[in-house]
């Protein structure tokens, strides 16, 4: 929800943008995390985003939800075992 002043709106928008920065991984981060090429990371991001689209979620090209990435890779299995 936006407030009446521009400064408060800017602060809210900055908060949203900052939050988005931590909730999504870029292709470069996926490549680094999995130790794969950037072109292969694009394919993985596209596949994960297609799965999310099929579930009704809005996706961003070139980025993937960090939590979903962790769940769909081996990292999700490790977290569930603990």
């Amino acid at each position: 929800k936006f407030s009446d002043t521009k400064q408060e709106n800017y602060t809210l928008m900055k908060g949203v943008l900052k939050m988005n920065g931590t909730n999504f991984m870029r292709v470069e981060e996926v490549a680094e995390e999995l130790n794969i090429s950037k072109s292969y990371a694009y394919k993985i991001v596209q596949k994960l985003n297609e799965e999310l689209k099929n579930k009704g979620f809005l996706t961003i090209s070139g980025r993937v939800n960090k939590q979903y990435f962790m769940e769909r890779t081996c990292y999700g299995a490790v977290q569930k075992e603990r």
Side-chain angles (χ1 to χ4, degrees), residues 1-27:
K1 182 177 176 182
F2 290 104
S3 69
D4 294 334
T5 67
K6 283 185 179 181
Q7 181 60 39
E8 289 177 11
N9 286 341
Y10 177 72
T11 304
L12 287 171
M13 289 301 291
K14 264 179 66 175
V16 170
L17 293 174
K18 185 175 181 184
M19 186 177 79
N20 286 343
T22 60
N23 288 335
F24 289 91
M25 295 177 70
R26 294 177 182 263
V27 170

Side-chain angles (χ1 to χ4, degrees), residues 45-63:
V45 168
Q46 287 174 338
K47 179 180 176 11
L48 295 175
N49 278 339
E50 187 63 35
E51 292 174 7
L52 287 169
K53 279 183 189 177
N54 290 337
K55 292 180 179 187
F57 291 99
L58 179 66
T59 60
I60 301 171
S61 181
R63 296 180 187 185

